[in-house]
Every structure is written in structure tokens, then in C-alpha cells.
Amino acid sequence: MSMTNPGSAATPSPSYSTLEVPGPLAQPCRFGVYTGLELELQADDAIPAAARLGLEPPRFCGQCGRRMVVQVRPDGWSARCSRHGTVDSTELGQR
């Protein structure tokens, strides 16, 4: 006696529209990229002095506030959020 699975019929997979996921530093940011706090809760002096001078790469995703994996290279930096992708300093014109 053969058993058939009704869900195994050749049903087409649902087509998902490609959603445009904003990058980690895309504007408008909801979270501080140096503190991980919501921008409305972040104090003005919370940004480190090195970051204000442009010497520090962003450490948190501006969209979700998660800590990013940051790699500092001699020619710049790259940062990766597990949800929002990768951004590189060369893309932003920052070195």
C-alpha cells in the first residue's frame, strides 16, 4: 500500500517580492552607530571623541542597534550587521 503525501505534489513555491533592506548606516538611522542606543535616548556627549574626529568606525547597526562585526584595515574599515548587511568605508568615502 503506497502512501502519498498531499503536500508533496508539484506545487509552485510562493514568489516573494525582493524587499529592499536598508544598509546598517542607511539614513534615517534609528540607533546610534557608536553607542547602540536609540537616537532619542542618546545624550549628545555619548559619542566618543575619536568618533567625532572620524577616527573610530561605527560599532553598532543604525537600523537595529545590534553590535556589528568590524574589521579595521590600513586603508579603512568594514562593518557587518547580521540583519542588514555589510558597509565599507570606501563606499562612504571615509578612510
Side-chain angles (χ1 to χ4, degrees):
M1 191 174 193
S2 76
M3 297 181 71
T4 59
N5 186 352
S8 68
T11 57
S13 62
S15 61
Y16 297 103
S17 63
T18 56
L19 297 174
E20 190 65 31
V21 177
L25 303 181
Q27 295 297 326
C29 288
R30 294 182 359 206
F31 294 87
V33 296
Y34 301 108
T35 62
L37 299 173
E38 288 188 53
L39 287 178
E40 40 200 52
L41 301 177
Q42 177 176 291
D44 293 334
D45 61 346
I47 299 173
R52 285 193 297 257
L53 293 172
L55 302 174
E56 183 74 20
R59 302 288 179 175
F60 295 89
C61 178
Q63 303 302 317
C64 64
R66 286 183 172 82
R67 185 112 170 126
M68 294 193 293
V69 176
V70 178
Q71 181 176 10
V72 178
R73 305 180 310 263
D75 66 340
W77 51 263
S78 65
R80 181 176 50 87
C81 173
S82 63
R83 306 287 170 146
H84 295 99
T86 303
V87 64
D88 195 281
S89 61
T90 57
E91 297 170 6
L92 302 175
Q94 299 176 357
R95 291 188 178 224

